[in-house]
Structures are given as structure tokens and as C-alpha cells.
């Protein structure tokens, strides 16, 4: 027996069926002459108690018109009545009175009427079930279908028939896959109708709310989505009859959920980087394949370079294809680099560029990328051979995707422009070609941060100082962008100016700390300008070191910056524990200098945090890697720089800028240095001249004797006149001739113009006319006045310092 036969053979006559209901037979006088077992069960009267008695015994007022009369068949009527139970209580019943055709009026013995009754509640429950079944069959929006145990259609309701568009008689016996070709998209379940139903039939396990995607027979070419449930049908004895299918078209809801999911994905994935090409690829990744089969993104060349879009520009601008994706692209296929593209007149893209609006043609849609009313490019959505066209809801969705992409790309464009400007500024502010120094050999590398972080404020410098000394500096400005680059440039210039004053490292950092700690108003007042944004944040770090190739002493101080690496000629690597000092700009805290003597050929490595932190952020690990690289200190410095970057930043970029300065120390040869100690007496002036003249002759620099005698005379005379203690005279033959006179005084000398009748006061003025440069530096024991003269043009030059 199949499911349909079982359904049609079921008892639909209800509780008033004569085979089940309480039945009483009355004669013409209204006396009970027949009483069924069901009547005894319903009303409580035994046959011997009620037969022969009038019907009024259990039906008071049997001759009154019953309430709720409803015609049945023939002359029978069904009504509600209040019956009297044998124990006396009233019982609402539904009653049908059927006159017997063979009964003769007025003849008492024969049966005249049959009363069929049931409890009113049972009838109402049965009627409700009938109404429900009728509603499911004719009014329910849920499609119902019954398949037999061979999975062939035996019955469906009105909703199912409306969707399938054909009468039941033409479809009985067909299999499910013949009626609805398609597939289930719910993860973790079988894909076809046949496999789902067979599983339910075999196991009895129901499947609920499976999503089935296919074409509706009455709407070919349009994809629909149904929510389907399947459960097994069996009779009271457990015999399997077939499978019932519930289905409801949820296409609109499914599409709305899918669009909402797509928007959520767009919000999460579009605009994660400040890179226009990356953002364009994010758009294609979100839209394919859930929204379109293929998506392309084209940008104006000027916009891709960071320029502003040109509103209302005549003609069709040049475009660059920056992203493209198709549904059948291999997942591991590398993205194609941007390339130029043009569109012929009449194409959808050409029309969109010309009109500035959205253009749609069935399965293709072109939308402009706009920012501030100006076009930045185009996004093309294509569904290729898909039967589904873009409807109104999908146009709104595409518009939302493009708006989000346009905002992200405009931000990326602005960042690209600022990043390029900041990088240009930074490169201009950083040293391009550091002049060679006789005190050290040097090599350096600077690696800007990756595009995500932006240009930072790291800097380094090598500054030639008096007495053949050299100043080494490395610093880091907190933050990124134009402000950080501009601040870096200002600080680098300030450090160079302070270094030229021959300040000790701790004093130089104290002066720099005062500058960084100034408010914008204080800086503007000093510059005579309007106060601007506070581009110097507390937290600027700096390390400053001075190396003297004569004494081989190195003095350094740091302000919150990592200490340098020191590599001795033996290959031993150390990171000296310098007094840390606070970052610049905090104010109120002292800086301390640290001094050491470096053997000739020692290596100093000055660097910023970005080099040793890398992407992992593990500074200790970075220092260990750097130390291992520097142990090969005998390699060329340029080679060591490259090896350090390759080991610490293998991908060539880091979240922060990275600067590395390597210097190998040298020592000035004893043949290049001549020094004497003289008493602070007037006679020392003549002695000093003689010593200097003799030394210049040994160096083949007799041409400079006249100028040098005058310089030595004036400087020693001032020292004897204005200071106490011994006077020291030193000549250095390096890249130029340097004359130094040191004394124990701390009074700063002043260059002044004397009147014609003054007897003195012209010493420093004369010195300034005879030399290239001159200056004063202070030590804990006094001061040194130095003067520098260029060698004669034909002079072969001094021997190179050892190291």
C-alpha cells in the first residue's frame, strides 16, 4: 500500500460515524427500543435501564428545536444538545437525528428514528483537525508533497501544485529529481533530492531546513532557493509508506541574508590597508563568486599616483587595471601587476566614464568610483553566462560596495600622496653623501618602514669636529608621516649646529632636550612665526658619540636610545651599559657621558629600534642576530651593513624605520701630531713660534710658516695673558693643518674690531683672516682655541691615519 492509498482509505467520517458513535433507536412514540454499547459508555445507561423509556430520560425536551441545526444528508440534521447522564449531570453532545424511511407514522412498535450522538468536545476536535488538513491541502503557503517508498510522487497540496504549474494527474509517478533539478547548498548534507530522500527512507532520520537551489518549473531561467524538510511516513504498525516533503520558497530572504553577509564581509575586508591596489583586490575578493562571476577595478593613472581626481575633465582619461578576479581563477594564482587599459566608444565602461553614472546591461554592471564628486575609476561586475540578472536590490548592494571601496581608496590615495611627500622630505633631510673622515671608516644603511606604517623619523649623521675628531649620531622621532619627517630634519640640523660648538655629549643632549620640550608657542616665538601643531612628541630618542683619533677615546651619551654595539679587534662583541638617560622632551632629568678607549680597528654600530625589533618585536633576539653578524668585523663595512639588514629584516621592510651606522676606528699617526707644554710666561711666545716653524719644515709645509707663526703668536699670547697654568701647543697634520692652543681658563674669547689708536685687541681678528676656520672647545680642565689652514695646492697630502 503506498502513501496515497493509505491516506484515502483513512476514516474521515469522524466521531458521528454510526459505527463509532453512541446510537439510540426510537419508535414513533419516542420510546427507546435500541441502545448501543457506545451509548452506554457515553451516557451511562445500561440497556435494561433505558429501553422502553422515553428519550426525554437522557434528552430533556426532545421535541424542541435543537440549537445549531446543520443539515447533513437527506432529512437528517446535526445539532448540539444538553444530554442528561445516568448520574444526573448534564453533558454537551452533538446529535444527529435520522428518520427511518420504512417507519409508519402512528404505528408504535416499529423503529421511527435513529439518534447518533457523540461528546461535543470530540466533534469539535475532529472538526479542527479536518479544518487543519483542509488548510494544509488548499491554503497553506508551505508546499507539501508525498512520495511513496519508491520515491515517486503520489500527492501534493495546492501550494506545491501552484509552484510546479501542472496538475497532479500529469505528475503522479515522477521522481523528485525529474521535477526539480538542482542541488542542496547546506553544508554537511547530501547534495541531491534523491540522496536526501533515500537517506530519510532508510534511516528514519528527518532532515530539517535544508536549502535547495534550483529553477522553478514555472519560472525557468531564474534561480530560486527553498527551505526543505523531509521525514518518513509509516502506518500504526510501523510499516514504511514513503517520505513527506515540506518546502517553502525563501529566495527573497536568502538573497537578503546573502547581501547582508556580503556587506559584513565588505566592512571587514575592504580598506584594511592604505594601498589602492590592495584595496581594489579586496573588492574583487569580496564580490567573487558570491555576487558576480568576474569583477575588474580600473583607476585613473593620476589617482593611482596619489594625485587628485579631476572633476569634469574633458574626454576619457587614461585608466590602469589594478585588480581583476574571475570565479574560476586558481586560488594560488598571483595577482597580475597593474597595466594600462582603454575602452572603445559604445562600451559600457566608456559610457560610464562619459556620463559619470552607473550603466547596466542585463548581466553586466559598471559603477563609477567617486570621491568628492569626482571620478577615480570604474568597477565592473559581470555575471557572464549566469541566468540571474542584477535586480534592484543587487544594484543597491553594488552601490554600497563601491561607496565603501571609494572611501577606502580615497584614504589610500591621500596616504600615498603624503607618504611620497614624506619620503621625499625624509630623503632630502637625511645625509646623502657623508664626507670622508680620517678618524673613522664608515658605512650606513637606512630602510624606510613599510607602507602600512608610513615614513618615520629615524636619522643618523657623521659630523666632522675640530681636532680631527668626529661626532656620531643616531636618533628616532616617535610617529610617522610628514610631521615626523619634518621634526627629524629639524632635530638633525640642531644636532649638527650643537656639535659644531664642540659640546660634550651629555651637554649636547641637555640642549636638545630643552628644544624638544618647548611648546609650539615657545618655538613660534623664537622663530617669529605663528604657533603650529605640536609636531615634536615626548619620546624622541638619541645617541651621540665623539671619537678622538689622537687619544682613541670615545665619549658617548644617550637619551632613551639603545646602546651601540662595540666590536673589538679580537672579535669580542659587547653592548656597553651606558647611563640610559630619559627620552628627549621629558625635561628635568640629567644626562651622563660614558668614556672608553677603543683599540685601533674597533667597530662601532649605532642603530635604531626598528632594526633590532623587526616584525617580531623581540629586541633581545634582534641584538643577538646583530652581534653574530658583527663578529665577522673584518669584512668590508658595506658588506656588513647588507648582511645585518638581510639577517634582521629578511623581507626588506619593517613596521618601523631602521637605521644602521657602522664605523671602524682609526688612529692619527704619531708623525702627524706634534705637541708641547709651555710655561705661562711671555717668553713662551717666541718658543712656540720656533717649535711650530721647525715642525712645519719637517712636514714640508714651510709655505704656511708665516701664517702659522702669527696664529701661534696671537693664541699663545692670549693664553699667557688671560689664563693661568701651563699652555699646551699642538699641531695636527690631517686633511688640513690644525693649530691648537690650550690653557686652564674658561673665559670665552671674543672677536672684535679695534680702533686705530688701540694698542691691542686685534689678535683673534688677525687669526680669523689667516685661517679657514677657527673656534673654541671646552674641557673639564679649561679650553682649547683651534685654527685650521688648508694645505698648499701642490702639497701631496698627509699620510692616511692607521687602522
Amino acid at each position: 500500500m503506498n502513501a496515497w492509498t493509505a491516506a484515502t482509505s483513512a476514516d474521515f467520517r469522524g466521531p458521528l460515524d454510526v459505527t463509532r458513535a453512541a446510537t439510540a433507536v426510537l419508535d414513533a412514540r419516542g420510546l427507546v427500543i435500541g441502545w448501543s454499547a457506545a451509548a452506554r459508555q457515553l451516557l451511562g445507561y445500561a440497556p435494561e435501564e433505558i429501553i422502553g423509556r422515553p428519550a426525554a430520560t437522557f434528552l430533556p425536551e426532545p421535541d424542541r428545536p435543537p440549537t445549531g441545526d446543520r443539515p447533513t444528508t437527506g432529512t437528517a440534521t446535526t445539532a448540539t444538545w444538553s444530554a442528561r447522564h445516568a448520574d444526573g449531570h448534564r453533558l454537551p453532545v452533538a446529535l444527529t437525528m435520522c428518520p427511518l424511511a420504512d417507519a409508519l407514522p402512528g404505528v408504535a412498535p416499529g423503529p421511527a428514528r435513529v439518534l447518533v450522538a457523540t461528546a461535543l468536545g470530540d466533534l469539535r476536535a475532529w472538526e479542527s483537525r479536518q479544518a487543519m488538513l483542509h488548510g494544509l491541502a488548499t491554503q497553506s503557503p508551505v508546499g507539501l508533497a508525498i512520495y511513496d517508498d519508491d520515491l515517486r510522487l503520489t500527492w501534493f497540496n495546492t501550494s506545491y501544485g501552484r509552484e510546479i504549474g501542472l496538475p497532479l494527474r500529469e505528475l503522479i509517478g515522477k521522481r523528485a529529481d525529474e521535477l526539480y533539478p538542482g542541488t542542496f547548498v547546506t553544508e554537511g548534507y547530501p547534495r541531491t533530492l534523491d540522496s536526501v530522500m533515500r537517506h530519510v527512507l532508510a534511516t528514519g532520520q528527518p532532515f530539517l531546513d535544508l536549502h535547495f537551489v534550483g529553477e522553478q518549473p514555472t519560472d525557468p531561467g531564474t534561480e530560486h532557493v527553498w527551505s526543505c524538510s523531509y521525514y518518513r511516513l509509516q502506518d500504526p504498525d510501523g510499516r514504511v509508506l514513503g517520505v513527506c516533503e515540506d518546502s517553502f520558497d525563501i529566495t527573497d530572504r536568502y538573497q537578503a541574508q546573502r547581501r547582508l553577509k556580503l556587506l559584513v564581509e565588505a566592512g571587514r575586508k575592504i580598506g584594511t590597508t592604505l594601498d589602492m591596489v590592495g584595496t581594489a583586490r579586496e573588492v574583487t575578493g569580496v564580490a567573487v563568486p558570491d555576487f558576480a562571476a568576474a569583477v575588474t577595478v580600473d583607476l585613473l593613472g593620476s589617482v593611482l599616483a596619489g594625485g587628485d581626481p579631476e572633476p569634469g575633465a574633458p574626454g576619457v582619461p587614461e585608466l590602469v587595471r589594478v585588480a581583476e578576479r574571475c570565479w574560476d581563477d586558481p586560488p594560488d594564482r598571483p595577482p597580475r601587476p597593474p597595466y594600462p587599459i582603454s575602452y572603445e566608444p559604445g562600451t559600457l565602461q566608456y559610457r560610464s566614464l562619459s556620463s559619470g553614472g552607473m550603466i547596466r546591461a542585463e548581466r553586466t554592471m559598471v559603477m563609477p568610483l567617486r570621491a568628492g564628486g569626482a571620478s577615480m575609476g570604474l568597477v565592473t561586475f559581470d555575471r557572464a553566462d549566469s541566468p540571474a540578472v542584477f535586480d534592484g536590490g543587487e544594484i543597491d548592494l553594488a552601490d554600497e560596495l563601491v561607496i565603501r571601496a571609494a572611501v577606502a581608496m580615497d584614504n589610500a590615495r591621500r596616504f600615498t600622496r603624503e607618504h611620497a611627500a614624506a619620503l621625499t622630505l625624509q630623503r632630502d633631510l637625511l645625509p646623502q653623501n657623508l664626507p670622508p673622515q680620517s678618524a673613522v671608516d664608515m658605512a650606513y644603511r637606512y630602510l624606510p618602514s613599510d607602507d602600512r606604517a608610513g615614513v618615520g623619523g629615524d636619522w643618523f649623521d657623521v659630523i666632522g669636529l675640530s681636532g680631527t675628531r668626529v661626532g656620531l649620531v643616531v636618533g628616532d622621532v616617535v610617529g610617522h608621516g610628514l610631521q615626523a619627517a619634518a621634526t627629524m630634519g629639524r632635530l638633525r640640523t640642531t644636532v649638527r649646529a650643537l656639535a659644531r660648538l664642540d659640546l660634550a655629549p651629555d651637554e649636547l643632549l641637555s640642549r636638545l632636550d630643552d628644544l624638544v620640550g618647548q611648546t609650539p608657542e615657545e618655538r613660534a616665538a623664537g622663530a617669529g612665526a605663528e604657533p603650529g601643531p605640536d609636531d615634536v612628541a615626548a619620546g624622541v630618542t638619541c645617541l651621540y658619540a665623539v671619537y678622538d683619533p689622537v687619544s682613541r677615546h670615545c665619549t658617548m651619551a644617550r637619551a632613551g636610545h639603545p646602546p651601540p654595539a662595540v666590536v673589538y679587534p679580537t672579535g669580542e662583541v659587547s653592548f656597553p651599559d651606558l647611563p640610559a638617560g630619559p627620552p628627549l622632551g621629558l625635561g628635568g632629568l640629567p644626562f651622563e657621558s660614558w668614556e672608553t678607549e677603543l683599540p685601533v680597528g674597533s667597530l662601532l654600530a649605532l642603530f635604531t629600534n626598528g632594526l633590532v625589533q623587526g616584525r617580531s618585536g623581540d629586541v633581545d633576539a634582534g641584538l643577538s642576530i646583530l652581534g653574530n653578524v658583527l663578529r665577522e668585523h673584518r669584512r668590508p663595512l658595506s658588506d656588513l651593513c647588507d648582511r645585518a639588514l638581510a639577517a634582521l629584516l629578511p623581507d626588506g621592510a619593517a613596521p618601523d624605520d631602521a637605521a644602521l651606522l657602522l664605523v671602524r676606528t682609526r688612529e692619527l699617526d704619531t708623525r702627524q701630531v706634534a705637541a708641547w707644554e709651555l710655561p705661562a710666561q711671555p717668553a713662551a711666545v717666541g718658543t712656540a713660534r720656533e717649535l711650530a716653524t721647525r715642525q712645519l719644515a719637517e712636514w714640508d709645509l714651510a709655505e704656511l710658516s708665516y701664517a702659522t707663526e702669527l696664529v701661534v703668536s696671537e693664541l699663545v699670547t692670549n693664553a699667557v695673558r688671560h689664563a693661568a697654568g701651563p699652555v699646551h701647543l699642538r699641531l695636527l697634520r690631517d686633511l688640513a693643518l690644525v693649530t691648537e692652543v690650550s690653557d686652564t681658563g674658561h673665559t670665552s674669547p671674543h672677536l672684535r674690531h679695534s680702533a686705530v689708536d688701540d694698542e691691542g685687541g686685534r689678535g683673534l681678528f688677525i687669526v680669523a683672516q689667516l685661517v679657514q676656520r677657527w673656534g673654541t672647545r671646552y674641557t673639564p680642565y679649561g679650553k682649547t682655541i683651534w685654527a685650521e689652514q688648508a694645505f698648499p695646492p701642490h702639497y701631496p697630502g698627509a699620510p692616511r691615519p692607521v687602522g
Side-chain angles (χ1 to χ4, degrees), residues 223-444:
E223 189 175 81
H224 284 252
V225 182
W226 289 271
S227 172
C228 301
S229 297
Y230 299 89
Y231 46 91
R232 191 168 69 182
L233 299 175
Q234 53 193 54
D235 64 15
D237 297 329
R239 183 174 50 181
V240 176
L241 303 176
V243 176
C244 185
E245 176 191 66
D246 299 349
S247 62
F248 186 75
D249 193 326
I250 59 168
T251 303
D252 292 341
R253 187 184 74 186
Y254 184 82
Q255 296 292 352
Q257 290 176 341
R258 190 173 69 170
R259 292 166 189 169
L260 178 60
K261 179 183 177 182
L262 200 65
L263 285 178
V264 172
E265 285 291 294
R268 187 170 63 88
K269 293 183 178 180
I270 294 177
T272 60
T273 64
L274 288 172
D275 176 70
M276 284 182 282
V277 174
T279 300
R281 290 171 180 167
E282 290 169 348
V283 173
T284 62
V286 168
V288 177
D290 291 338
F291 183 72
V295 177
T296 60
V297 181
D298 306 321
L299 292 180
L300 274 65
S302 59
V303 170
L304 186 60
D308 291 324
E310 300 179 5
V316 177
E318 295 182 358
L319 293 173
V320 177
R321 173 69 52 82
V322 294
E324 56 188 358
R325 189 178 182 89
C326 188
W327 68 272
D328 58 353
D329 287 341
D332 56 348
R333 193 196 76 172
R336 184 176 180 181
Y339 61 92
I341 190 168
S342 60
Y343 292 102
E344 296 295 328
T347 61
L348 299 182
Q349 291 82 359
Y350 188 96
R351 290 162 55 193
S352 179
L353 286 170
S354 302
S355 65
M358 185 271 291
I359 303 294
R360 179 179 60 139
E362 292 186 351
R363 297 172 180 85
T364 303
M365 178 168 51
V366 181
M367 284 197 162
L369 279 164
R370 306 187 67 83
S375 177
M376 297 192 299
L378 298 172
V379 180
T380 302
F381 302 93
D382 191 355
R383 285 190 169 164
D385 298 329
S386 170
V389 299
F390 292 104
D391 59 24
E394 289 172 322
I395 293 175
D396 293 340
L397 174 60
D399 188 53
E400 180 67 22
L401 287 176
V402 171
I403 288 174
R404 294 191 182 196
V407 171
M409 288 185 185
D410 192 46
N411 290 336
R413 178 190 63 81
R414 295 173 187 271
F415 172 79
T416 299
R417 181 173 58 187
E418 180 175 328
H419 183 269
L423 190 59
T424 300
L425 175 62
Q426 185 184 50
R427 287 172 176 167
D428 290 344
L429 294 174
L430 283 172
Q432 303 300 312
N433 294 297
L434 290 175
Q437 302 289 334
S438 58
V440 294
D441 286 332
M442 58 186 170
Y444 47 86

Side-chain angles (χ1 to χ4, degrees), residues 29-54:
R29 296 170 298 176
L31 299 178
V32 177
I33 60 173
W35 192 255
S36 69
R40 179 176 182 173
Q41 182 179 3
L42 177 65
L43 297 173
Y45 297 96
E48 61 272 16
E49 295 175 338
I50 194 66
I51 290 178
R53 301 181 64 182

Side-chain angles (χ1 to χ4, degrees), residues 146-161:
I146 296 177
Y147 295 85
D148 62 17
D149 54 2
D150 195 29
L151 299 184
R152 297 185 180 277
L153 183 67
T154 60
W155 177 86
F156 56 65
N157 69 350
T158 302
S159 177
Y160 192 99

Side-chain angles (χ1 to χ4, degrees), residues 611-627:
L611 179 72
V612 292
Q613 281 183 336
R615 294 199 180 277
S616 67
D618 190 340
V619 176
D620 291 337
L623 292 176
S624 177
I625 295 172
L626 178 61

Side-chain angles (χ1 to χ4, degrees), residues 525-542:
E530 292 294 327
D534 189 3
D535 60 338
V536 183
V540 177
T541 66
C542 184

Side-chain angles (χ1 to χ4, degrees), residues 211-228:
H211 289 177
F212 180 81
V213 178
E215 294 183 12
Q216 191 177 36
T218 56
D219 189 16
T222 302
E223 189 175 81
H224 284 252
V225 182
W226 289 271
S227 172
C228 301

